[in-house]
Amino acid sequence: MITSQMESAFNEQINAELYSSYLYLAMAAYFQEANLPGFAHWMTIQAQEELFHAMKFYRYLVERGGRVVLEAIAKPPVSWDGPLAVLLATQEHEATVTARINSLMDVAIAQKDHAAVSFLQWFVDEQVEEEDSVQTLVQRLKLIGADGGALYLMDRDLATRVFTPPAQ
Ligand code: FEO
């Protein structure tokens, strides 16, 4: 059985993951409007991944005998100042997610909840990957600058991203 402190921390994380999904879906819509379908597709996959993260926490909480309590999801922004601004916002957001996961890990360690520590390790590793993939895109966009042709090619590349659900 999970402690009530871990239960509420995990419920907050379900909400945070759902917000991440909502945020990336808003970014996808922004890219659609900006005629960058590849970027939009990449963000849609990102949104799917976040939904997967939320469900991973949801399933875990149920499995540990906790009670899932869903709160309202905050409204994400509607617009950004260009593709680089979107990716910088994504990078910043992922850094806050990493900090959240680290805090959850701190709680699990403090409570000597070894099962939760083991569960959270997956997210610690996932965040390294998440931050790295966004950083790569930011660096590429910075190199591209105002080169429309290079932006077109990057958009075409991003259209090939495939969502592969990780093992449950
Ligand atoms: Fe759920 Fe992008 O971390």
Side-chain angles (χ1 to χ4, degrees):
M1 188 78 179
I2 202 158
T3 64
S4 62
Q5 193 185 348
M6 287 299 295
E7 184 187 70
S8 58
F10 273 46
N11 270 314
E12 278 174 32
Q13 192 59 29
I14 291 173
N15 188 272
E17 300 289 352
L18 289 173
Y19 174 75
S20 297
S21 185
Y22 224 35
L23 173 66
Y24 295 144
L25 205 52
M27 289 172 170
Y30 169 79
F31 279 128
Q32 287 290 1
E33 259 191 84
N35 285 318
L36 289 166
F39 279 85
H41 172 77
W42 193 93
M43 278 299 172
T44 305
I45 303 265
Q46 194 70 8
Q48 279 178 271
E49 277 198 5
E50 299 302 346
L51 199 53
F52 176 87
H53 294 168
M55 287 308 297
K56 201 170 167 78
F57 275 103
Y58 173 102
R59 279 192 300 271
Y60 184 74
L61 198 46
V62 170
E63 205 179 319
R64 292 288 306 275
R67 184 178 195 197
V68 172
V69 179
L70 299 177
E71 301 289 348
I73 305 167
K75 182 181 177 179
V78 175
S79 190
W80 289 265
D81 192 17
L84 183 58
V86 178
L87 290 180
L88 288 172
T90 303
Q91 195 171 34
E92 200 179 308
H93 183 70
E94 286 301 328
T96 66
V97 173
T98 299
R100 290 193 64 97
I101 297 292
N102 288 342
S103 298
L104 281 175
M105 186 61 114
D106 289 343
V107 176
I109 290 169
Q111 302 222 334
K112 297 187 170 47
D113 186 339
H114 295 260
V117 167
S118 169
F119 170 76
L120 288 167
Q121 189 59 48
W122 185 90
F123 284 93
V124 171
D125 299 339
E126 172 77 357
Q127 279 313 116
V128 174
E129 211 178 286
E130 291 265 286
E131 289 200 42
D132 180 54
S133 65
V134 181
Q135 173 150 325
T136 304
L137 296 186
V138 165
Q139 283 168 345
R140 199 169 158 190
L141 255 188
K142 280 183 175 169
L143 275 177
I144 284 174
D147 182 345
L151 184 64
Y152 171 78
L153 288 178
M154 183 172 173
D155 189 63
R156 221 172 54 174
D157 278 0
L158 295 186
T160 62
R161 186 181 184 190
V162 176
F163 175 59
T164 317
Q168 309 279 316

